[in-house]
Amino acid sequence: MHPYLIRLGVHPEVQVFFQPFYTVDRKGDLVFNYGDSIEHYGIAFHKIPVSENLFLAGSRNFHTVSHVIICTSAMDAMAYLSLNLPYFRDIRNLLFLATGTRPGTDQAHWISKNLAGKSFKCIFGNDLLGRVAEVKLAAGIRKMPAAVTVQAETVIVNFRMKDHVFTVDGFSLNALEKKTGYRFNIPVHKPKSFDSWIEHLQHHTFNY
């Protein structure tokens, strides 16, 4: 058990699940390796990288993985699982992927190639960046690329050779599906009343 995670309220079972996938530096801060960069979490800071790779936590035997959960950061992954643990029958079959702050096509291609046929879920934040990430990754995973452009209070998505225009508040993966008639079959789960899952956990009353 790590004191930062205990203080944050990460469930003990979740701490055990994620423990093999991070290291602790000389100051006691948590370090999550993306391969080309690191995510760094301390008592008063949280640095999330821009990466071309992914942070992975869970079974490396992809044949046994039942659900793939995609998010911005490793800390969001821990927060999400802590808050939703009762809904999972066996967390040993979960695989969490963190993209960093700017999901890219290389990440989507890796997911599509290595995890084809799996059940996916996106748990990005409620802000515009989180909604853009969901659209870009869902489109990339399904090999139906989408280009997203934000202009003032308008979001333009070029998808299937056509521009689709949304207001910022009205833009989401679900809104794109309704407008285009294409179903990505990648559910989105967002925290209610909070911008991110880690923020939700910080305000959650827990009793483990």
Side-chain angles (χ1 to χ4, degrees):
M1 300 296 173
H2 192 283
Y4 292 177
L5 301 180
I6 294 171
R7 178 175 176 175
L8 183 60
V10 176
H11 193 285
E13 186 176 350
V14 176
Q15 291 196 48
V16 171
F17 178 90
F18 280 93
Q19 191 171 13
F21 307 107
Y22 68 80
T23 57
V24 179
D25 67 15
R26 289 179 296 176
K27 295 181 179 180
D29 300 329
L30 303 176
V31 177
F32 305 90
N33 189 359
Y34 286 63
D36 59 354
S37 53
I38 63 169
E39 178 181 340
H40 202 182
Y41 183 82
I43 200 65
F45 69 90
H46 184 198
K47 296 179 180 179
I48 305 171
V50 175
S51 176
E52 296 182 0
N53 299 326
L54 295 156
F55 166 81
L56 280 70
S59 176
R60 291 300 196 274
N61 182 358
F62 296 156
H63 293 293
T64 67
V65 170
S66 59
H67 291 81
V68 180
I69 301 173
I70 312 170
C71 55
T72 299
S73 71
M75 291 302 299
D76 261 334
M78 277 196 269
Y80 173 82
L81 188 54
S82 289
L83 290 162
N84 294 278
L85 189 59
Y87 300 106
F88 293 99
R89 298 173 64 180
D90 189 352
I91 64 174
R92 293 174 298 179
N93 295 328
L94 300 180
L95 178 64
F96 285 88
L97 307 178
T99 64
T101 57
R102 296 181 187 174
T105 54
D106 287 346
Q107 294 169 328
H109 290 165
W110 186 93
I111 295 168
S112 179
K113 177 181 177 181
N114 292 280
L115 298 167
K118 301 300 181 183
S119 176
F120 297 102
K121 180 180 290 184
C122 286
I123 59 166
F124 291 91
N126 277 311
D127 61 1
L128 179 58
L129 289 176
R131 287 176 280 145
V132 170
E134 289 158 357
V135 167
K136 291 177 68 175
L137 277 172
I141 290 169
R142 298 307 183 205
K143 300 180 181 179
M144 300 283 289
V148 183
T149 305
V150 180
Q151 297 179 351
E153 294 301 312
T154 300
V155 180
I156 303 169
V157 183
N158 184 273
F159 180 68
R160 302 174 89 177
M161 307 297 290
K162 183 179 179 180
D163 285 343
H164 304 276
V165 181
F166 304 86
T167 64
V168 169
D169 291 340
F171 168 69
S172 67
L173 180 62
N174 180 253
L176 180 63
E177 290 181 326
K178 288 180 178 178
K179 182 164 284 194
T180 63
Y182 182 85
R183 295 292 179 264
F184 294 95
N185 293 317
I186 298 179
V188 170
H189 191 185
K190 293 184 177 293
K192 294 180 180 179
S193 304
F194 297 98
D195 286 337
S196 67
W197 288 102
I198 190 168
E199 182 184 347
H200 188 178
L201 185 63
Q202 289 168 338
H203 291 84
H204 183 69
T205 300
F206 54 90
N207 184 21
Y208 302 143

